[in-house]
């Protein structure tokens, strides 16, 4: 009986497997992301508007930086219907050659940056094509691209869509156009479904923060209310161009190592290591081989998986100099502090740029700036502004390694109040910037930085350095406050001493005034000069600071519900 | 009073201090005053002298931000004292506190502050507060028995007060006793801790039976009370017997202060002590011998015993007292004067006091 049952079951399974096989097929990458748009930052209408603009602006800034051009970017948002917006972003970048335009704008996972080990805003080659895909999914309209690469060449105009099944661009229109007002540059126009609001996670806030950490950039922004805001560049000095570096051995994983060994043109392991990796000379290469107990003249493409494992272990055993760090382009203490001064009117500023450090073979630099006191509320948690490769991170603060570091810092030792597991309650705005050849985000939407212990530690060290300067200021402020109190105290009792002495000495020649002035002199000589600690921030720009702040206007009915879901994204 | 200074002397002394401060200030240097430390750390006990003597530790009050207020108050208080002496007036400690309310920011907030500054000035001038024009609020004690006090009325005319003629009441010791003279045929002075026990002895005319003078101290004797007993005892060569509760407070707050003085008033102990005083009860041994009902020692009592054995120069000097305190600590008990009523209300008159006075071996030094 039992056998019969078993036999029946087996037969049933066979049939089911055949059925199942009919439904099993490859999933297109575009299809996947179309379904999972939240992974790319298109969770809701408000965020979608921001993400679309962010992807385009990040690309423009990267392109200008690579071509060593001072960026001038125009951003325009036009409300074309209820919750439908036309987005136009135009830059003065190097332009894109005709052949590349469709792939860059209408193919996911296509781009130059993924394979390069260089500091840039974009990394994966998803962003802008995801925006194009989102536009077509929500309005059915193609993205319109205009790009010009030189003064004497005509511009290329294209209308693009993305085939979500095959992840291939669909060219809907193409022509040559005159674009006389531009020598070179790119313009993209998309119609998307979105929602425009001011506040912490708004387009306005994003552009403002971008201006803060990219002081060499001019942004001309027209919002849906047709208000034009200009963020003029604060410096003509272009940031140093980021250098590309090779992979450092400490960052290599087994799969990548095997791929590299099969693709390499080198003929020996020793040559493979010295050519394909940074910081590996012939001696280090030999040491790795001897630690792995293999010969340096072995052919890389003959290395087996087992041997590759040995090599990975050997790399860990070998002492290799940290990767070169000149590939990192930090913002710098001075510019970071200057940007913060524009944004926050505080009494005290401090900034710190850490020396480069390494996680998984990737060099990175942490920078921190702090603004204390002034107009900021004392009874609220500190304001955190996070940046990665000069891009503001507006979402997922709670999931970010930066937040973890800030919470793990003992702010009480700097004279601030902090509950365990929370940000300190203090009138502070803190800026944290991570610059790296590869920023480890927790998701493709690039909102939070992954919790690498090396990164958490470096953030902490940067914060502590600023914190130490801050605590000496807070201490000084307290001391001066007490000193002023004491001085008031002295001045209060001097007349009484003079009066009583007069009564006791009983001399006609008694010099009341002389006694009082002498007493003041005696007591003040002991106390020394008082330093002036008034807040005096000439660089604060109130109208600038108000950009992105929520407007106090009565809300329309029905808006309430959507806003609260928006808040949840953080 | 021996070594008493005239008002003029004291004004001169205060002016010298003020002029020194004045000149220091005009030289643009930090002025300061030196005040003898008023505590048991700054006294020693010498049996020959019979009282606590200063050993010369001083605190220096230099004018700084944190002392500016007290410094101003000390000088203003001295100025107040100068006025009092000049106009031959007095102010009670409480009145002095209220006068300071005219000083604006320099006024005292609580009386203990003004009392403390007053004591500092007193010590600084090595004088008695009455001499600088201040008098205490409290009464000096009550007296009954074989004594005539010779005082003066407001016209300076002699006034004889017979302390046998107060019936169930008593003569009240004035705040200043220096001008008093005495006539007596009594054989001793009995100083009593509580007003209740004093009442009992007065009511039953114990002073007549024992031919003595009774003084009610009402707790720790005031300076006037101490000085009164001292002058009377010196003048008439009378022995002084002290009768308190059998507890650390009776021994070392009341008896010790009467006999050798206090740390707080160390600069005037010489005049405000009664070295001839002897302790007749209630001793720890009495608690056993008379089978007195007791109460357990309170925490403060235990603490006081430890403190006294360790720090009180008089106790350190006296083996008998050390023994007695240890005995009390071991028993863990204390007994009040009134506990004698266990054996009958007048047991104290009929048995206890006569037996104690007869047998010197039951006393403590």
């Amino acid at each position: 009986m039992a056998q019969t049952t078993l036999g029946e079951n087996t037969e049933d399974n066979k049939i089911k497997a055949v059925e199942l096989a009919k439904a099993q097929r490859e999933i297109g990458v575009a299809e996947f992301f179309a379904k999972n748009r939240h992974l790319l930052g298109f969770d809701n209408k408000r965020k979608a508007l921001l993400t679309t603009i962010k992807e385009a602006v990040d690309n423009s800034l990267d392109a200008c930086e690579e071509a060593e051009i001072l960026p001038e970017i125009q951003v325009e948002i036009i409300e074309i219907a209820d919750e439908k917006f036309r987005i136009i972003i135009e830059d003065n970048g190097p332009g894109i050659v005709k052949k590349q335009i469709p792939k860059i704008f209408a193919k996911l996972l296509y781009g130059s940056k993924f394979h390069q080990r260089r500091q840039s805003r974009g990394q994966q080659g998803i962003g802008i094509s995801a925006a194009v895909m989102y536009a077509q999914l929500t309005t059915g309209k193609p993205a319109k691209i205009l790009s010009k690469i030189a003064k004497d060449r005509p511009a290329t105009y294209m209308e693009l869509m993305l085939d979500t099944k095959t992840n291939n661009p669909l060219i809907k229109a193409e022509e040559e156009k005159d674009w006389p007002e531009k020598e070179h540059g790119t313009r993209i126009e998309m119609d998307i479904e979105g929602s425009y609001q001011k506040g912490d996670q708004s387009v306005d806030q994003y552009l403002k923060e971008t201006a803060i950490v990219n002081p060499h950039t001019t942004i001309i922004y027209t919002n849906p209310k047709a208000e034009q805001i200009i963020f003029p560049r604060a410096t003509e000095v272009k940031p140093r161009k980021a250098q590309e570096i090779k992979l450092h051995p400490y960052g290599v994983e087994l799969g990548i190592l095997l791929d590299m060994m099969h693709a390499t043109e080198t003929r020996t392991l020793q040559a493979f290591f010295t050519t394909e990796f940074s910081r590996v000379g012939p001696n280090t290469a030999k040491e790795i081989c001897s630690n792995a107990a293999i010969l340096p003249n072995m052919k890389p493409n003959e290395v087996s998986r087992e041997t590759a494992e040995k090599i990975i272990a050997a790399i860990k055993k070998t002492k290799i100099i940290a990767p070169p760090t000149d590939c990192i382009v930090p913002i710098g203490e001075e510019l970071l502090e200057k940007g913060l001064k524009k944004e926050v009117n505080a009494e005290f500023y401090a900034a710190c740029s850490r020396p480069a450090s390494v996680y998984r073979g990737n060099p990175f630099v942490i920078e921190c700036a702090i603004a204390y006191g002034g107009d900021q509320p004392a009874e609220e948690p500190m304001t955190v502004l996070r940046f990665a490769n000069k891009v503001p991170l507006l979402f997922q603060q709670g999931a970010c390694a930066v937040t973890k570091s800030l919470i793990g810092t003992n702010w009480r030792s700097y004279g601030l109040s902090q509950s365990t597991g929370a940000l300190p309650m203090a009138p502070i705005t803190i800026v944290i910037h991570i610059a790296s050849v590869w920023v480890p985000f927790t998701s493709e939407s690039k909102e939070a930085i992954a919790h690498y212990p090396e990164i958490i530690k470096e953030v902490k060290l940067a914060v502590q350095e600023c914190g130490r300067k801050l605590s000496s200021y807070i201490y000084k402020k307290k001391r001066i406050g007490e000193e002023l109190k004491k001085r008031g105290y002295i001045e209060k009792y001097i007349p009484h001493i003079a009066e009583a002495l007069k009564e006791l000495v009983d001399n006609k020649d008694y010099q009341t005034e002389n006694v009082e002035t002498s007493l003041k002199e005696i007591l003040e000589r002991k106390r020394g000069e008082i330093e002036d600690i008034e807040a005096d921030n000439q660089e604060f720009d109130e109208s600038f600071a108000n950009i992105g702040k929520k407007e106090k206007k009565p809300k329309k009915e029905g808006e309430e519900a959507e806003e609260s879901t928006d808040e949840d994204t953080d | 009073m021996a070594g008493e200074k005239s008002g003029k002397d004291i004004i001169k002394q205060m002016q010298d201090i003020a002029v020194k401060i004045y000149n220091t200030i005009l030289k643009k240097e930090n002025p300061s005053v030196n005040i003898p430390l008023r505590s048991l750390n700054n006294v020693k006990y010498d049996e020959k002298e019979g009282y606590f003597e200063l050993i010369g530790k001083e605190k220096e009050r230099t004018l700084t931000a944190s002392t500016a207020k007290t410094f101003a108050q000390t000088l203003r208080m001295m100025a107040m004292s100068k006025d009092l002496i000049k106009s031959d007036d007095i102010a009670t400690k409480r009145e002095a506190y209220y006068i300071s309310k005219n000083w604006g920011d320099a006024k005292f907030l609580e009386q203990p502050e003004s009392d403390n500054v007053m004591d500092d000035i007193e010590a600084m001038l090595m004088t008695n507060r009455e001499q600088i024009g201040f008098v205490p609020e409290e009464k000096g004690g009550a007296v009954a028995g074989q004594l005539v006090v010779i005082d003066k009325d407001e016209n300076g005319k002699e006034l004889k007060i017979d302390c046998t003629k107060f019936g169930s009441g008593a003569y009240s010791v004035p705040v200043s006793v220096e001008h008093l003279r005495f006539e007596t045929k009594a054989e001793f002075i009995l100083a009593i801790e509580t007003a209740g026990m004093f009442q009992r002895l007065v009511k039953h005319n114990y002073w007549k039976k024992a031919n003595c003078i009774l003084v009610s101290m009402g707790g720790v004797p005031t300076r006037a009370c101490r000085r009164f007993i001292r002058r009377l005892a010196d003048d008439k060569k009378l022995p002084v017997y002290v009768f308190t509760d059998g507890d650390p407070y009776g021994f070392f707050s009341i008896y010790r202060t009467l006999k050798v003085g206090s740390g707080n008033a160390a600069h005037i102990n010489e005049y405000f002590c009664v070295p001839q005083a002897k302790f007749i009860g209630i001793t720890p041994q009495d608690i056993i011998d008379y089978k007195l009902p007791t109460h357990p020692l309170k925490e403060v009592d235990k603490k006081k015993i430890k403190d006294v054995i360790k720090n009180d120069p008089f106790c350190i000097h006296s083996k008998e007292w050390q023994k007695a305190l240890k005995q009390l600590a071991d028993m863990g008990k204390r007994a009040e004067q009134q506990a004698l009523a266990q054996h009958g209300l007048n047991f104290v008159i009929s048995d206890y006091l006569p037996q104690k006075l007869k047998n010197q071996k039951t006393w403590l030094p």
Side-chain angles (χ1 to χ4, degrees):
Chain A
M1 284 296 284
Q3 267 186 340
T4 319
T5 319
L6 192 71
E8 272 168 16
N9 272 352
T10 317
E11 208 152 315
D12 280 353
N13 285 348
K14 264 183 197 163
I15 296 162
K16 266 186 191 160
V18 173
E19 291 260 324
L20 289 170
K22 285 176 190 164
Q24 285 164 349
R25 59 191 164 89
E26 193 186 352
I27 302 160
V29 60
E31 240 178 339
F32 173 80
F33 282 119
K35 272 195 177 167
N36 292 298
R37 53 166 95 147
H38 56 275
L39 294 178
L40 303 176
F42 296 92
D43 330 25
N44 58 53
K45 290 172 190 168
R46 183 178 175 204
K47 205 168 155 191
L49 180 75
L50 171 61
T51 304
T52 304
I53 288 166
K54 181 172 163 326
E55 295 299 350
V57 170
D58 287 355
N59 276 6
S60 293
L61 287 171
D62 271 347
C64 289
E65 220 150 276
E66 222 166 310
E68 295 183 75
I69 295 165
L70 279 173
E72 186 177 313
I73 300 169
Q74 286 172 28
V75 178
E76 197 172 347
I77 309 175
I78 304 160
E79 191 163 9
I80 47 178
D82 190 32
E83 300 208 315
K84 297 271 189 302
F85 294 90
R86 177 158 299 151
I87 316 275
I88 303 160
I89 288 115
E90 185 180 315
D91 66 38
N92 62 339
I96 303 160
V97 294
K98 189 172 162 187
K99 194 180 76 181
Q100 294 293 349
I101 291 174
K103 285 179 180 166
I104 284 178
F105 288 99
K107 187 175 173 64
L108 290 174
L109 295 172
Y110 183 90
S112 57
K113 298 161 194 169
F114 186 80
H115 301 283
Q116 284 177 346
R117 309 191 55 77
R118 173 162 67 187
Q119 179 184 336
S120 61
R121 293 168 183 79
Q123 289 186 165
Q124 292 121 325
I126 295 180
I128 193 64
S129 27
V132 169
M133 183 169 75
Y134 175 77
Q136 122 192 7
L137 285 171
T138 54
T139 66
K141 291 192 193 159
K144 296 168 182 171
I145 317 292
L146 185 64
S147 191
K148 185 171 167 180
I149 55 171
K151 199 179 174 182
D152 48 3
R153 299 267 201 98
T156 307
Y157 173 80
M158 274 189 195
E159 290 183 11
L160 294 171
M161 287 180 103
L162 191 149
D163 181 345
T164 53
K165 294 257 171 344
T166 62
N167 186 25
N168 277 322
L170 302 168
I171 302 167
K172 295 283 170 185
E174 184 187 334
E175 60 179 293
E176 281 191 357
K177 266 193 180 174
D178 259 0
W179 197 9
E181 59 272 31
K182 272 263 163 22
E183 276 187 31
H184 47 77
T186 305
R187 173 191 158 103
I188 177 166
E189 188 182 314
M190 288 172 278
D191 289 354
I192 64 159
E193 194 175 85
S195 157
Y196 175 78
Q197 265 165 23
K198 297 201 173 183
D200 283 348
Q201 297 168 343
S202 64
V203 176
D204 299 29
Q205 180 72 20
Y206 159 74
L207 289 175
K208 177 170 78 173
E209 289 189 17
T210 302
I212 289 175
V213 292
N214 294 281
H216 63 296
T217 303
T218 293
I219 300 173
I220 300 159
Y221 168 48
T222 311
N223 69 17
K225 292 176 180 147
E227 296 162 344
Q228 194 176 63
I229 303 167
I230 298 177
F231 302 95
R233 71 172 54 92
T235 172
E236 299 285 327
V237 182
K238 279 171 274 189
R240 179 161 55 82
K241 193 179 163 186
Q243 297 301 310
E244 191 180 344
I245 61 158
K246 286 181 257 175
L247 185 63
H248 189 272
Y250 284 166
V252 77
E253 282 161 353
L254 187 65
I256 297 170
L257 183 68
L258 284 168
D259 286 351
M260 286 170 78
M261 286 191 292
H262 285 109
T264 186
E265 286 170 7
T266 55
R267 293 209 211 124
T268 65
L269 266 186
Q270 183 178 333
F272 168 72
F273 282 122
T274 52
T275 336
E276 303 286 343
F277 289 93
S278 70
R279 294 302 200 209
V280 182
N283 286 334
T284 312
K286 276 180 203 153
E287 205 185 324
I288 292 172
C289 293
S290 97
N291 281 341
I294 47 175
L295 291 170
N297 58 7
M298 190 175 178
K299 282 185 183 161
N301 55 13
E302 285 174 3
V303 171
S304 66
R305 203 190 61 83
E306 288 74 17
T307 314
E309 260 177 29
K310 278 188 202 161
I311 293 175
I312 295 279
I315 287 172
K316 289 201 179 109
K317 261 192 270 172
T318 313
K319 212 170 170 211
I320 306 166
I321 314 168
T325 51
D326 54 357
C327 53
I328 306 284
V329 187
I331 298 166
E333 290 175 9
E334 200 183 320
L335 284 176
L336 207 57
E337 194 176 311
K338 209 170 161 184
L340 194 54
K341 278 183 172 169
K342 262 170 92 173
E343 165 72 7
V344 183
N345 193 21
E347 299 160 29
F348 175 81
Y349 300 85
C352 157
S353 202
R354 291 281 307 158
S357 184
V358 177
Y359 83 92
R360 248 185 55 202
N362 296 305
F364 70 97
V365 164
I366 297 291
E367 295 177 285
C368 171
I370 210 166
Y372 172 82
D375 301 339
Q376 308 180 79
E379 304 300 325
E380 284 173 27
M382 60 160 43
T383 307
V384 183
L385 303 179
R386 295 170 295 136
F387 296 89
N389 284 353
K390 301 185 194 175
V391 177
L393 307 180
L394 301 182
F395 295 90
Q396 300 265 355
Q397 180 172 311
C400 188
V402 165
T403 312
K404 189 177 165 155
S405 290
L406 291 176
I407 288 172
T409 303
N410 180 9
W411 292 91
R412 267 165 286 191
S413 66
Y414 307 130
L416 304 173
S417 73
Q418 178 188 26
S419 330
T420 314
L423 289 170
M425 304 294 265
I428 288 183
T429 300
I430 189 161
V431 172
I432 304 284
H433 178 228
I434 172 171
S436 179
V437 294
W438 187 263
V439 179
F441 289 108
T442 56
S443 77
E444 291 76 4
S445 59
K446 301 199 280 188
E447 289 161 348
I449 295 159
H451 290 204
Y452 278 96
E454 295 90 343
I455 294 177
I456 290 174
K457 184 181 152 205
E458 274 299 308
V459 171
K460 226 176 195 173
L461 289 172
V463 168
Q464 282 169 348
E465 198 173 320
C466 288
R468 276 191 293 273
K469 292 177 197 163
L470 175 66
S471 85
S472 75
Y473 171 79
I474 291 175
Y475 172 73
K476 190 167 102 185
K477 196 178 165 185
K478 276 190 188 156
R479 210 184 55 217
I480 289 175
E482 275 160 26
E483 179 62 33
L484 285 173
K485 224 166 99 188
K486 274 192 182 166
R487 270 176 205 225
Y489 198 72
I490 292 170
E491 287 186 10
K492 211 160 149 185
Y493 296 113
I494 282 177
H496 291 282
I497 294 171
E499 170 84 16
L501 277 179
K502 188 183 174 182
E503 281 175 40
L504 286 166
V505 170
D506 210 9
N507 184 337
K508 274 176 207 134
D509 302 327
Y510 180 82
Q511 307 160 345
T512 310
E513 255 179 54
N514 215 338
V515 169
E516 289 196 17
T517 47
S518 301
L519 273 174
K520 248 179 224 173
E521 219 175 286
I522 292 163
L523 289 165
E524 267 167 32
R525 186 179 54 220
K526 271 194 109 178
R527 311 206 71 82
E529 292 284 307
I530 282 194
E531 269 179 85
D532 192 15
I533 56 156
E534 293 276 303
D536 185 24
N537 174 11
Q538 305 284 350
E539 286 165 60
F540 177 63
D541 182 340
E542 199 182 339
S543 53
F544 176 84
N546 280 331
I547 295 167
K549 299 263 158 71
K550 267 203 182 106
E551 279 175 341
K552 282 171 194 147
K553 55 156 197 192
K555 281 188 196 94
K556 272 185 255 162
E557 271 179 317
E559 269 185 6
E560 213 80 54
E562 208 198 341
E563 179 161 339
S564 59
T565 47
D566 273 356
E567 301 293 310
D568 280 346
T569 57
D570 193 345
Chain B
M1 165 172 171
E4 189 173 347
K5 295 164 189 164
S6 70
K8 248 190 191 168
D9 291 338
I10 289 176
I11 290 179
K12 175 83 180 30
Q13 230 184 322
M14 288 197 285
Q15 273 176 335
D16 287 348
I17 292 170
V19 166
K20 203 180 134 208
I21 293 171
Y22 177 66
N23 289 332
T24 312
I25 291 172
L26 290 188
K27 267 190 264 163
K28 301 200 176 36
E29 282 165 21
N30 242 26
S32 62
V33 287
N34 290 330
I35 300 163
L37 211 57
R38 296 181 287 106
S39 81
L40 282 185
N41 295 328
N42 192 26
V43 294
K44 63 163 195 237
Y45 178 67
D46 181 343
E47 202 177 6
K48 251 185 249 160
E49 301 286 348
Y51 57 87
F52 280 168
E53 245 185 327
L54 276 178
I55 54 173
K57 288 186 196 164
E58 287 189 330
K59 60 179 172 192
E60 190 178 46
R61 184 168 291 161
T62 305
L63 180 57
T64 64
S66 44
T67 62
K69 186 177 184 182
T70 336
F71 201 92
Q73 286 173 330
T74 309
L75 290 178
R76 292 214 75 148
M77 180 78 99
M78 277 168 72
M80 190 204 294
S81 158
K82 186 188 154 196
D83 286 347
L84 288 171
I85 297 169
K86 267 195 162 171
S87 56
D88 195 22
D89 204 347
I90 52 164
T92 65
K93 290 162 88 175
R94 190 76 183 155
E95 283 167 343
Y97 161 69
Y98 279 116
I99 291 169
S100 87
K101 296 290 183 192
N102 295 319
W103 298 349
D105 292 330
K107 69 173 175 248
F108 295 107
L109 299 179
E110 300 289 344
Q111 196 190 328
E113 293 175 21
S114 72
D115 288 356
N116 197 35
V117 168
M118 194 182 285
D119 290 348
D120 278 347
I121 294 172
E122 205 187 298
M124 196 158 68
L125 303 172
M126 293 300 272
T127 178
N128 170 19
R129 82 164 78 84
E130 278 77 9
Q131 286 183 282
I132 56 172
F134 300 114
V135 293
E137 219 71 39
E138 71 264 42
K139 285 201 302 183
V143 184
Q146 308 281 24
L147 173 69
V148 173
V149 178
I150 303 166
D151 204 342
K152 286 170 185 160
D153 68 7
E154 71 247 41
N155 302 319
K157 216 183 128 200
E158 204 166 80
L159 202 62
K160 286 197 175 184
I161 303 156
D162 187 346
C163 296
T164 61
K165 304 233 162 97
F166 282 90
S168 54
Y171 167 69
S172 184
V173 177
V175 287
S176 179
V177 302
E178 296 304 326
H179 59 289
L180 300 180
R181 287 186 293 119
F182 309 103
E183 280 173 9
T184 183
K185 287 193 175 115
E187 284 169 30
F188 63 92
I189 301 167
L190 183 65
I192 301 149
E193 172 175 345
T194 62
M197 180 54 74
F198 178 76
Q199 282 296 321
R200 169 152 299 279
L201 298 182
V202 170
K203 186 165 171 73
H204 292 276
N205 287 341
Y206 175 74
W207 49 268
K208 203 183 255 174
K209 279 176 207 150
N211 189 22
C212 69
I213 300 163
L214 301 174
V215 181
S216 165
M217 298 183 287
V220 178
T222 61
R223 288 187 186 182
C225 183
R226 273 136 68 190
R227 183 67 185 150
F228 180 86
I229 296 171
R230 167 73 178 280
R231 288 205 57 224
L232 178 58
D234 277 0
D235 207 25
K236 299 298 166 191
K237 310 260 178 310
L238 295 176
V240 178
Y241 304 123
V242 184
F243 180 24
T244 73
D245 287 341
D247 60 22
Y249 186 77
F251 303 158
F252 271 84
S253 293
I254 297 174
Y255 174 69
R256 194 267 282 134
T257 303
L258 179 72
K259 184 179 171 80
V260 299
S262 67
N264 194 33
H267 56 289
I268 44 165
N269 281 340
E270 188 180 350
Y271 313 108
F272 288 83
C273 62
V274 185
Q276 54 270 66
K278 301 284 182 225
F279 188 83
I280 61 156
I282 292 169
T283 65
Q285 189 58 38
D286 288 346
I287 296 177
I288 299 164
D289 294 347
Y290 289 91
K291 298 188 177 67
L292 294 178
T294 57
H295 290 98
L297 284 175
K298 288 180 270 184
E299 274 313 304
V300 281
D301 294 326
K302 291 179 194 165
K303 234 175 115 188
K304 178 146 178 110
I305 291 173
K306 270 188 203 154
D307 183 47
V308 164
I309 290 176
K310 202 174 152 214
N311 299 319
D312 190 299
F314 176 63
C315 182
I316 290 164
H317 173 83
S318 165
K319 289 222 167 63
E320 289 99 322
W321 271 112
Q322 286 169 30
K323 227 175 102 188
L325 284 172
K326 276 173 196 150
Q327 192 182 3
L328 195 72
D330 290 345
M331 287 158 62
K333 290 168 183 167
R334 61 190 170 88
E336 292 170 3
Q337 291 182 314
Q338 287 83 344
L340 291 162
Q342 152 103 349
H343 305 300
L345 279 174
N346 288 318
F347 177 78
V348 61
I349 295 168
S350 59
D351 294 76
Y352 182 76
L353 285 172
Q355 283 169 18
K356 288 290 291 189
L357 288 168
K358 218 181 278 171
N359 190 357
Q360 284 203 27
K361 279 181 191 157
T362 66
W363 302 353
L364 283 166

